[in-house]
Amino acid sequence: MTGGRSGWLVLVMLPCIVAAQQPAQPGVPTVRQLIESGRLDDAERSARAGGDAEAVALGDVLVLHGRLSAADAVYRDALFRRLPAYRTAAAALAELAVRRGDRGEATSLANDVVAGYRQNGTTWPAADQVAAGRAFAVLGRWDPQAFHDALRALDRVIAADSGNIDAQLRAADLLLDKYNAPDARESYRAVLKRVPDQPRALFGLARADAFEGGAGATAAVRRSLARNPYLVPALLLLAEQHLQAEAYDSAIAAATGGLAVDSTAVQGWGVLGAIAWMRGDSANFAVARRAAERVQAHPVDFYTEIAEAAARQRRYADAITMGEAAVRADSQSAQAFGVLGENQLRCGDMVSGRTNLERSFALDPYNLWHKNMLDLLDNLRGFTTANTARFQLVAPPAEAEYLALYLGPLLEAAYDTFALRYNYRPPTPIRVELYGRHADFSVRTVGLTGLGALGVSFGPVLVLDSPQSRDVGDLNYGSTAWHELAHTFTLGLSQHRVPRWISEGLSVLEERRAGHGWGADVSPDFLAVYKGGVLPTASHINEGLVRPTFPAEIGFSYYEASLVVAMIEGEHGIAAIRAMLTAYADGLDTPAVLQLVLGMTSDAFDQHFDRWIRARFAKPLAAIDSSDGTHNATGAYVTLVRDGTRLLKAGQYDSARALLLRAQQIFPEDGTVDGPAWQLGHLDRDMGNPRAAALQVHTVTMHSETAADANDVEASLLLQVNDSAGALAALERQQWIGPYDVALHLRIADLSERLHDWSRAVRERRAVLTLDPPDKLEARYQLASTLSRAGDKAAARHEILQVLEQAPAFEKAQALLLELRGSSP
């Protein structure tokens, strides 16, 4: 969730690898061209052969190879002797000082370049003006205003020569470093128009995708590596992407590949350190830390890399530990204070988290994440907190009272359910924040707007969209809360080490087990993509969650994961699930957990699940296909539903029914609104058979947790056949989808009273009052009347006296008060 920042120093300090050159011999690549293609050994030989004219280029090659002391000597010699591009040498020396953590020398060298630039820099050659931009960027590490100067210097070069690729790439890198991904992306694309497949531009696009949480970052970085397989920042970004997907071996391979080129890349040691830390491998963690300390005496970048990696793995307490180490390493690091504060907030430490974010923002006022979060924290001060036995519900004042009526009891019931199933009780109180604007929810979770999720669990803190943030039919706030609280249990029992796909699979499974039609369910499109081999195998579902190859893959992966854990529980019981979670807590990885608990290798497990799912859905799989190459189902089943629907619209009811029933026999679980059940339900209703219609519509409501209209239709149909209990259940399901409908709550209240369900009736009358009904006096009177019939005379008197205080002549209220007094002991 916090990816996209950890590598910015590497990018700022990339050597000037595409600066203007003397004319080359035809057909002979220049040093810069050799560097761009990753032919570093050839580039070094060519630079040495070039003598003084290529001295700075030689230094750049040495930097890329991690030979920093040798590069330092070459640059210093070029600067001392005022060789060609000596100002570039000075800027490169300043960047090397930053890498060592030597602020004094870095600022001194950069200030020398900047002072000259301020005097007559507009007359300098373009490469020297680019060097000034680099020097300003070094100063920007401690003086944010200097980043503006850096961009102005680079923009001046670009204005004079739009073909200066180096200036364009450095300007784009600076934009991205300061969180302006859209403009950075536009600049990278402009470079690619001039130089197709330019590796640094391709890498820039990959980094922009990673910054914004896009699923295409891995594919994009591979494109850059195809052009330059030794581009170290790209290899390290690839390592981070693998690490995010919990593919540790692949992450190690990519990071090791980068370090083989440049052993001084602290970011690479950070990746290896993160993997060692999360595996409990103290020996290899110490190796990585010592390697980082050989570059920086106090390797702040090493610790922040691990902190951010830990946060992406939901190891928030570890992220705090590493954030604290980063702050100790460099008390002037905005990134260190930022990663510490972010994770303190995720763990519910609102005071310390805010304090550290404010420190970070003071050092780097361009950080959009922290600006958004601090603004949100200001808004949170106006939220209302409602406490239950084990939860703190924090919500906007307009929604807080209503949400406490429903979410409080739901979460308490969920806690008891999960405590029994997992034999584990997480510490309380658990903080639950609800946001009436999805943008605020998104900022709270990732710092930026645009997150597609509905809820996030940090373990001790749940962050949810409130019903107000979404249109009716877009959110089931009950199932979302149930899902996220399940994460609190599985994360806690596993010491936050459970793989993402198992935790998500269990949360979806727990939704389905709760009833009410909650949780992702099977669909024709899911079966089509599974049959087509598009989805990852069971033990690799993380790939579909964090690196989807098509938009629907994330949702399908959630459902696939839920089937995997359902299979495990069905065959081995909940004890096996508990054993897996505790094995992860002990530090075992997935292959070891599968072998220990299930007695299977990963490959055998994948094959077993494939056989299970093909048997489980054998009949519909045989009739569903996606042979047209899309991710939408085709085949005999789809044809039957399509043709039946067409005949239904044409009024050919008997023929339509025959086709739709044939389809339903093939796939009775299809509860999608395009499936046969919904069509048959409408047909039965129109033909005057409400009981049969209700049964068909129930298929939809039990397989679609956001089917508000279907629940309303089902309730109406059941009332026609005097099934008040069934109708009430349908309206209860509807409440979790479209809760702010006064008429809906009045219907639930009336049905509850008809069934003598007085506690539910009282809740509904109270809910109506929280929704500011048109006639609040009448609503309060109805609440008092229901309380009276429920036997709570004292509460009834309290409510009726409030009515009479505002309307003394309200006759029904007077009569009820007299009745209540007459019943007093």
Side-chain angles (χ1 to χ4, degrees), residues 566-599:
M567 177 194 75
I568 294 171
E569 183 175 356
E571 294 179 345
H572 302 275
I574 188 62
I577 299 293
R578 294 178 192 149
M580 292 178 72
L581 294 172
T582 54
Y584 283 118
D586 292 338
L588 274 64
D589 60 11
T590 294
V593 169
L594 293 175
Q595 188 66 58
L596 174 69
V597 178
L598 305 181

Side-chain angles (χ1 to χ4, degrees), residues 438 452-455 465-480 704-709 734 736-739:
H438 179 70
L454 303 172
D465 268 336
S466 84
Q468 191 64 46
S469 70
R470 297 278 183 158
D471 293 333
V472 173
D474 288 345
L475 167 70
N476 186 308
Y477 75 101
S479 71
T480 300
S704 177
E705 65 177 26
T706 56
D709 291 343
Q734 190 177 352
W736 294 111
I737 306 165

Side-chain angles (χ1 to χ4, degrees), residues 11-17 95 130 134 151 154 165-175 200:
L11 290 170
V12 169
M13 297 185 294
L14 277 172
C16 183
I17 60 176
E95 292 167 351
V130 170
R134 294 169 66 180
L151 279 172
L154 294 170
I165 301 302
D166 186 50
Q168 291 184 60
L169 287 170
R170 290 187 180 281
D173 288 347
L174 283 173
L175 288 169
R200 282 178 61 198

Side-chain angles (χ1 to χ4, degrees), residues 10-196:
V10 175
L11 290 170
V12 169
M13 297 185 294
L14 277 172
C16 183
I17 60 176
V18 286
Q21 295 297 303
Q22 298 296 322
Q25 299 179 30
V28 178
T30 66
V31 174
R32 306 302 176 183
Q33 290 169 337
L34 291 168
I35 290 174
E36 282 294 344
S37 63
R39 297 166 59 186
L40 299 184
D41 291 339
D42 291 342
E44 182 178 348
R45 283 190 290 270
S46 180
R48 291 189 184 281
D52 288 350
E54 296 289 3
V56 173
L58 174 60
D60 295 346
V61 177
L62 295 172
V63 168
L64 291 172
H65 254 318
R67 293 152 64 187
L68 303 188
S69 296
D72 187 280
V74 169
Y75 288 142
R76 289 187 188 280
D77 180 66
L79 177 60
F80 177 78
R81 294 198 291 133
R82 292 295 194 269
L83 295 181
Y86 74 88
R87 293 188 178 99
T88 297
L93 283 168
E95 292 167 351
L96 287 178
V98 170
R99 290 183 72 164
R100 293 193 301 271
D102 189 339
R103 176 179 177 178
E105 183 173 21
T107 54
S108 175
L109 287 161
N111 275 323
D112 286 346
V113 177
V114 164
Y117 180 78
R118 293 191 189 281
Q119 290 180 358
N120 61 350
T122 57
T123 65
W124 288 3
D128 287 354
Q129 294 188 50
V130 170
R134 294 169 66 180
F136 277 122
V138 167
L139 296 176
R141 182 174 175 87
W142 301 282
D143 174 13
Q145 180 58 38
F147 275 105
H148 286 298
D149 297 325
L151 279 172
R152 278 194 288 268
L154 294 170
D155 286 345
R156 187 175 288 118
V157 174
I158 297 166
D161 178 11
S162 61
N164 192 310
I165 301 302
D166 186 50
Q168 291 184 60
L169 287 170
R170 290 187 180 281
D173 288 347
L174 283 173
L175 288 169
L176 193 50
D177 292 339
K178 293 296 117 182
Y179 321 106
N180 186 348
D183 287 349
R185 184 178 282 108
E186 183 178 338
S187 296
Y188 292 130
R189 287 172 175 162
V191 170
L192 290 170
K193 286 182 180 179
R194 285 183 170 273
V195 186

